[in-house]
């Protein structure tokens, strides 16, 4: 029993590593095949004044002249030792550039996810509680409308109203100049981006919770609990919500990358110094080393979240674990 | 002989008290259909509606607020927003439909191929899509644009189509996995039916209803993608008028507080998206109802 668990964990780790390798190779080729001059991001406008000799020397220095495979193997060798190269644009080790920005994105995405998670549960159970009465209908209408609004447009609208119109909130950045250590300043700058992140995803999950709960309240055990004399609220929150929870958690785990991807657009609109603006810049200006690490990072997050969702599902429903062997049998029959 | 039974015929029963018959529009998204029809028709017949030439740069009238002459105002380059809305809507709708067509065909072919394939090939293909999903969409878009040349309606549709088919392919694969063991599919294969024959005759009609909702939603997300990309400056250039490229002037409009440049194209976009969503939800309800009756 124990050995089989170890084995399945081993297989998962192996698949994870191999997937990351394939991803890195793919991104490596893709980034270098895309046109654009990486020298521009390193030297800026000076590139245009360079003589061919200088260009050749610069390319040689950055190792851009070798064949693609050589470049990739060299990158891999260094990456295994923890050296991901320097960012052409910032002239600093990539890891440092990312470390500087990571906190901002984690703050935005993490707080956003928590609010989405809690808000969707509350909103969803409220709607299920009020099924087909006017609060539920109103919320469903409003939610559908909200989910149709593109993130960037919602950001623009909020800037227009709250930053330009009534001037209550700042429209860009993560802090005012000189206010880096000031917690209140950070929070004020976080309000608008956070609102967009939460509002643009909230309804999707709230609707999910609502529909799952509506299925649940039609089950027999609810009738039993009611007959036993439990009040409606107790049944909904203690029984129905609990059994709806695992599905909700696993779907949430799968969609964490989706929410984080949404923060990328929001960050760009609000010029919020996070990983989103960083990957946008690095892709635009061919900052290869930075781009590689950012892609691998987001790829790893996606795969880890998938694994987490799978683990949650296996815990709820042990039949899933046996699915693979069952599928193979099913395929061999015809 | 008249005693005993007497034939009296059927006992007169008053006709069952019926309430007013349910109006024909009950449960149908009439408002959404009307709004969508108005927008689509308006865009198709934009020549009749336009009051100005949408491409004309009237430099004497930049950033004019909505008034009697310029119904929706003008943008930073002096173009008339009212004319641009109808003229540019065509491009936005076209991209939505083209991109969806591309991604749907890809999803059906790829999903069905993966569903019919042997286990290891299936695993490989599905792992491949997972890896593809984990590449940041932004990078994929940049690369595709680089390969396909400068953005125009056609290449942008391909870019959006090529980056949005994976979710649908997964659904198709799951459906095909279930269908492939059914007797009629096995029989058709035994008689030598090829992959595309099976796909056309037996598979697609069976899983079409389950992906129809996703297809409609794909139109919506393709239109969102077009506007977002154009807004970020990676989509259509300013000269090609669409709702997205109109919104790419929004950051400048923020500086001059020209709210109409941001609000009006956005409102049209959202009205369209909302109507598409309502139609899609209606479709999903119908699909579900059928499934339950079977």
């Amino acid at each position: 029993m124990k050995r089989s668990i170890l084995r399945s964990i081993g297989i998962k780790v192996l698949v994870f590593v191999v997937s990351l390798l394939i991803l890195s190779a793919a991104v490596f080729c893709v980034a270098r095949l895309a046109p654009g001059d990486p020298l521009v991001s390193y030297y800026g406008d000076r590139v245009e004044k360079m003589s061919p000799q200088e260009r050749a020397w610069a390319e040689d220095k950055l190792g851009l002249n070798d064949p693609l495979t050589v470049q990739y193997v060299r990158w891999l060798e260094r990456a295994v030792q923890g050296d991901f190269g320097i960012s052409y644009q910032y002239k600093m080790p990539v890891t440092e550039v990312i470390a500087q920005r990571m906190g901002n994105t984690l703050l935005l995405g993490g707080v956003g996810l928590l609010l989405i998670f809690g808000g969707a549960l509350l909103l969803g159970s409220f709607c299920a509680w009020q099924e087909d009465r006017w609060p539920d209908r109103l919320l469903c209408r409003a939610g559908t409308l909200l989910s149709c609004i593109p993130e960037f447009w919602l950001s623009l609208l909020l800037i227009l109203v709250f930053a330009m119109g009534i001037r209550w909130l700042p429209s860009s950045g993560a802090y005012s100049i000189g206010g880096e250590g000031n917690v209140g300043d950070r929070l004020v700058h976080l309000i608008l981006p956070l609102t967009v992140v939460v509002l643009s995803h909230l309804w999707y999950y709230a609707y999910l919770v609502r529909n799952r709960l509506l299925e649940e309240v039609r089950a027999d055990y609810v009738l039993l609990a009611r007959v036993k004399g439990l009040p409606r609220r107790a049944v909904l929150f203690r029984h129905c919500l609990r059994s709806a929870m695992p599905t909700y958690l696993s779907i949430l785990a799968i969609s964490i990358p989706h929410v984080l991807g949404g923060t990328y657009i929001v960050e760009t609109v609000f010029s919020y110094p996070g990983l989103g603006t960083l990957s946008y810049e690095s892709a635009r200006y061919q900052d290869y080393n930075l781009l590689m690490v950012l892609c691998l990072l987001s790829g790893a997050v996606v795969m880890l979240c998938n694994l987490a969702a799978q683990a949650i599902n296996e815990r709820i429903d042990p039949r899933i674990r046996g699915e693979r062997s069952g599928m193979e049998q099913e395929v061999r029959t015809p | 002989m008249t005693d005993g039974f007497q034939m009296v015929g059927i006992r007169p029963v008053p006709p069952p008290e019926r309430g007013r018959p349910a109006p024909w529009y009950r449960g149908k998204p009439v408002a959404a259909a009307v709004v969508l029809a108005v927008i689509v028709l308006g865009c198709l017949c934009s020549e009749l509606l336009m009051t100005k030439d949408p491409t004309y740069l009237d430099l004497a009238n930049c950033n004019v607020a909505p008034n009697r002459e310029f119904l929706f105002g003008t943008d930073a380059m002096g173009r008339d927003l009212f004319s641009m809305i109808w003229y540019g809507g065509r491009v936005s709708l076209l991209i939505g439909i083209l991109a969806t067509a591309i991604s749907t065909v890809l999803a059906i072919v790829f999903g069905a191929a993966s569903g019919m394939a042997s286990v290891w090939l299936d695993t490989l293909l599905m792992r491949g899509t997972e890896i593809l999903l984990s590449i940041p969409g932004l990078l994929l878009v940049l690369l595709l644009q680089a390969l396909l040349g400068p953005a125009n309606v056609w290449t942008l549709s391909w870019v959006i189509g090529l980056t949005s088919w994976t979710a649908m392919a997964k659904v198709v694969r799951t459906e095909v996995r279930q269908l492939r063991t059914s007797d009629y599919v096995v029989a058709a294969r035994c008689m030598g039916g090829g992959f595309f024959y099976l796909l056309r005759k037996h598979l697609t009609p069976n899983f079409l209803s389950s992906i129809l909702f996703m297809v409609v939603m794909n139109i919506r997300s393709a239109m969102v993608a077009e506007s977002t990309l154009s807004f970020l400056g990676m989509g259509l250039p300013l000269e090609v008028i669409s709702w997205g490229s109109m919104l790419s002037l929004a950051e400048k409009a923020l500086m001059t507080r020209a709210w109409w440049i941001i609000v009006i194209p956005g409102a049209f976009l959202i009205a369209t998206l909302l109507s598409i969503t309502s139609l899609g939800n209606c479709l999903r309800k119908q699909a579900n109802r059928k499934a339950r009756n079977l």
Side-chain angles (χ1 to χ4, degrees):
Chain A
M1 189 61 198
K2 201 140 199 199
R3 280 190 62 177
S4 75
I5 291 177
L6 275 181
R7 208 178 135 220
S8 76
I9 291 178
I11 289 177
K12 273 178 187 159
V13 171
L14 194 70
V15 168
F16 182 70
V17 172
V18 170
S19 306
L20 272 189
L21 267 181
I22 296 174
L23 178 64
S24 73
V27 176
F28 198 86
C29 298
V30 162
R32 274 158 178 74
L33 288 176
D37 192 350
L39 288 183
V40 174
S41 70
Y42 194 86
Y43 291 103
D45 290 336
R46 275 180 294 154
V47 171
E48 284 164 29
K49 293 179 200 132
M50 278 182 170
S51 67
Q53 285 85 8
E54 276 174 320
R55 263 196 83 92
W57 177 81
E59 278 178 356
D60 206 41
K61 185 181 146 211
L62 296 177
L64 295 168
N65 275 337
D66 302 319
L68 217 57
T69 44
V70 178
Q71 283 188 43
Y72 178 66
V73 170
R74 192 168 49 208
W75 180 85
L76 203 61
E77 273 172 5
R78 287 185 188 157
V80 170
Q81 295 161 10
D83 172 19
F84 291 98
I86 59 163
S87 154
Y88 296 158
Q89 209 183 350
Y90 293 90
K91 312 218 175 30
M92 285 197 279
V94 166
T95 37
E96 272 178 39
V97 179
I98 291 179
Q100 279 176 4
R101 303 281 198 101
M102 184 114 97
N104 288 334
T105 296
L106 282 183
L107 188 67
L108 183 61
V111 177
L113 260 175
L114 277 181
L115 286 178
I116 292 170
F117 175 77
L121 268 186
L122 279 180
L123 204 61
S125 24
F126 178 73
C127 281
W129 178 255
Q130 297 281 345
E131 186 193 350
D132 272 345
R133 270 185 271 172
W134 66 266
D136 176 40
R137 291 189 183 185
L138 192 73
L139 280 173
C140 282
R141 285 279 157 83
T144 318
L145 175 66
L146 205 60
S147 65
C148 279
I149 302 179
E151 277 158 340
F152 78 95
W153 195 77
L154 190 59
S155 318
L156 287 174
L157 200 68
L158 289 181
I159 293 178
L160 197 65
V161 174
F162 290 100
M164 301 286 169
I166 52 180
R167 291 176 174 276
W168 282 356
L169 296 166
S171 68
S172 65
Y175 32 72
S176 323
I177 298 162
E180 294 184 26
N182 189 341
V183 178
D185 191 50
R186 288 293 303 252
L187 286 180
V188 167
H189 278 84
L190 207 57
I191 293 177
L192 282 187
L194 200 60
T195 313
V196 178
V197 170
V198 173
L199 283 187
S200 54
H201 292 283
L202 185 61
W203 183 247
Y204 180 80
Y205 301 102
Y207 197 59
L208 198 89
V209 173
R210 173 186 178 270
N211 287 351
R212 189 76 190 75
L213 278 179
L214 289 188
E215 266 172 41
E216 208 62 47
V217 293
R218 282 163 179 68
D220 289 339
Y221 74 86
V222 175
L223 198 62
L224 178 69
R226 290 285 288 150
V227 167
K228 207 172 71 177
L230 279 182
R232 283 184 68 198
R233 199 183 328 144
V235 181
L236 185 69
F237 285 106
R238 270 192 238 143
H239 294 273
C240 299
L241 203 58
R242 182 181 286 181
S243 69
M245 211 55 179
T247 342
Y248 177 53
L249 279 181
S250 74
I251 289 182
L252 203 71
I254 297 177
S255 44
I256 284 175
H258 188 67
V259 175
L260 288 181
T263 66
Y264 280 21
I265 293 168
V266 176
E267 280 179 12
T268 321
V269 183
F270 286 100
S271 343
Y272 184 87
L275 295 184
T277 32
L278 202 61
S279 39
Y280 175 73
E281 281 172 15
S282 64
R284 279 230 101 164
Y285 303 114
Q286 267 72 40
D287 197 340
Y288 291 157
N289 289 335
L290 192 56
L291 189 64
M292 281 295 277
V293 180
L294 286 171
C295 286
L296 287 182
L297 208 61
S298 56
V301 170
V302 172
M303 286 184 239
L304 284 178
C305 290
N306 280 344
L307 282 179
Q310 213 181 347
I312 294 172
N313 280 331
E314 276 175 14
R315 253 198 105 73
I316 315 162
D317 188 353
R319 276 173 300 175
I320 293 174
R321 231 174 297 175
E323 192 190 54
R324 174 115 317 167
S325 52
M327 205 167 78
E328 273 159 21
Q329 280 167 6
E330 173 244 317
V331 171
R332 277 189 200 127
T333 33
Chain B
M1 297 289 281
T2 53
D3 59 343
F5 296 106
Q6 194 183 350
M7 295 291 285
V8 291
I10 304 164
R11 181 167 24 149
V13 178
E17 194 76 33
R18 257 200 229 159
R20 275 183 300 150
W24 59 271
Y25 52 81
R26 176 68 48 82
K28 294 197 179 75
V30 178
V34 169
V35 170
L36 196 63
V38 167
I39 292 177
V40 170
L41 277 179
C43 293
L44 288 179
C45 316
S46 56
E47 272 79 9
L48 304 176
L49 283 172
M50 288 190 299
T51 49
K52 309 257 173 197
D53 177 6
T55 53
Y56 178 64
L57 308 180
D58 188 355
L59 293 176
N61 290 307
C62 295
N63 285 327
V64 176
N67 59 21
R68 189 103 23 105
E69 190 188 353
F70 303 100
L71 289 171
F72 290 164
T74 61
D75 68 1
M77 288 147 72
R79 298 180 291 183
D80 177 40
L81 278 186
F82 182 76
S83 313
M84 284 169 81
I85 288 276
W86 300 111
Y87 185 77
R90 252 194 265 187
V91 172
S92 291
L93 291 170
L94 184 67
I95 288 182
I97 289 166
L98 263 182
T100 305
I102 291 166
S103 62
T104 307
V105 169
L106 259 175
I108 287 180
V109 171
F110 192 91
S114 178
M116 297 296 283
S118 57
V119 172
W120 66 268
L121 187 59
D122 176 46
T123 319
L124 195 70
L125 289 176
M126 280 298 123
R127 280 275 152 200
T129 50
E130 251 169 52
I131 292 177
L132 196 66
L133 269 180
S134 66
I135 300 181
L138 211 63
L139 175 72
L140 265 184
V141 167
L142 276 179
L143 164 84
L144 284 169
Q145 286 201 345
L147 292 178
L148 294 168
N152 56 37
V153 176
W154 183 238
T155 57
L156 196 61
S157 310
W158 270 99
V159 167
I160 296 171
L162 284 175
T163 47
S164 63
W165 53 273
T166 38
M168 210 195 293
K170 282 195 172 172
V171 175
V172 171
R173 172 191 165 270
T174 320
E175 294 278 324
V176 170
R177 277 258 159 230
Q178 286 168 5
L179 290 172
R180 59 177 272 168
T181 41
S182 42
D183 292 337
Y184 57 89
V185 175
V186 177
R189 279 174 86 179
C190 289
M191 285 186 266
F195 172 69
F196 283 99
Y197 174 81
L198 282 175
L199 189 60
R200 198 178 65 238
K201 272 281 187 223
H202 295 301
L203 299 178
T204 310
N206 275 307
F207 62 63
L208 200 60
S209 68
S210 59
I211 63 166
L212 204 56
F213 172 71
M214 295 187 90
V215 172
V216 173
M217 285 300 127
N218 233 339
I219 299 181
R220 177 183 127 177
S221 50
M223 288 180 70
V224 171
E226 183 267 325
S227 60
T228 307
L229 285 177
S230 300
F231 169 76
L232 289 175
M234 298 191 292
L236 295 172
L238 272 178
E239 311 88 72
V240 182
I241 298 171
S242 76
W243 292 340
S245 73
M246 287 165 78
L247 284 168
S248 66
L249 287 173
E251 292 215 313
K252 274 190 204 117
L254 277 181
M255 301 294 157
T256 53
R257 309 214 178 170
W259 56 268
W260 56 92
I261 299 179
I262 299 172
V263 173
I264 292 176
F268 269 79
L269 182 64
I270 290 167
T272 314
L273 299 177
L274 194 59
S275 331
I276 293 176
T277 313
S278 316
L279 290 180
N281 278 334
C282 181
L283 272 180
R284 176 161 65 171
K285 271 181 204 152
Q286 273 178 2
N288 281 350
R289 195 161 52 222
K290 260 180 210 156
R292 208 165 284 161
N293 285 344
L294 271 172

